Amino acid sequence: MLVLAKQQQERRQLKVESKVQLKWLRMSPRKARRVINEVRGLTAGEAFTLLRFMPFAAAREVEKVLKSALYNLINGSKTSISEQQAQDLRIVEAYADQGPSLYRRKARARGMAMPIVKRTSHITLVLSDVEVN
């Protein structure tokens, strides 16, 4: 309870924050989390460099979400900041939640059918100028 109160107090002292979500990505959350766990806590500039050289398909999608968060801050009407200031912001929250699954059937031998589950995920990134412990 004390930790939550401290986090809420830190949130009130923020100057800049951008929250961006990518919903219904046709990729399992497990594959997306593999990339997101690597960039959590990094600055935006470091995360771009890391994502550029990752061999995973999820890295392209996380890079798009990060780019969107930066553009929202740079071109936003309320709090527009320079590109250099945006590169120094940290990824304070990053997670991939499971979205709705698509259920399909595949025909098998002797008239049977086997289920195929096509998973989707929701990716959320929060950029802020607060320090991550």
Side-chain angles (χ1 to χ4, degrees):
M1 191 65 169
L2 183 62
V3 174
L4 288 174
K6 187 175 181 180
Q7 287 177 350
Q8 289 174 349
Q9 190 177 30
E10 287 178 0
R11 287 243 180 242
R12 289 187 203 119
Q13 297 172 357
L14 294 179
K15 295 179 187 174
V16 179
E17 182 175 278
S18 176
K19 181 178 180 179
V20 179
Q21 286 186 321
L22 170 65
K23 290 191 159 197
W24 298 287
L25 174 65
R26 266 290 293 122
M27 181 178 297
S28 71
R30 184 176 180 178
K31 292 177 183 177
R33 283 185 197 119
R34 174 171 57 181
V35 173
I36 288 174
N37 289 338
E38 295 297 322
V39 298
R40 188 180 296 120
L42 298 178
T43 64
E46 293 170 348
F48 269 124
T49 305
L50 188 63
L51 291 170
R52 180 74 49 162
F53 295 105
M54 277 188 162
F56 309 118
R60 307 294 86 73
E61 302 299 328
V62 173
E63 187 177 357
K64 288 179 191 176
V65 175
L66 181 59
K67 201 175 282 190
S68 175
L70 287 177
Y71 287 155
N72 287 345
L73 286 172
I74 293 169
N75 301 320
S77 59
K78 289 184 180 178
T79 58
S80 57
I81 61 174
S82 70
E83 290 186 33
Q84 183 58 39
Q85 290 173 330
Q87 293 291 328
D88 294 336
L89 295 177
R90 290 205 175 271
I91 301 173
V92 293
E93 289 182 32
Y95 48 89
D97 295 328
Q98 184 167 346
S101 298
L102 303 172
Y103 295 96
R104 302 289 184 256
R105 298 281 175 192
K106 182 172 179 139
R108 303 303 290 190
R110 297 168 59 180
M112 288 189 273
M114 299 298 288
I116 295 176
V117 180
K118 298 189 175 193
R119 301 190 186 278
T120 63
S121 59
H122 303 317
I123 295 177
T124 305
L125 284 181
V126 178
L127 286 177
S128 180
D129 57 354
V130 72
E131 289 296 321
V132 179
N133 295 331

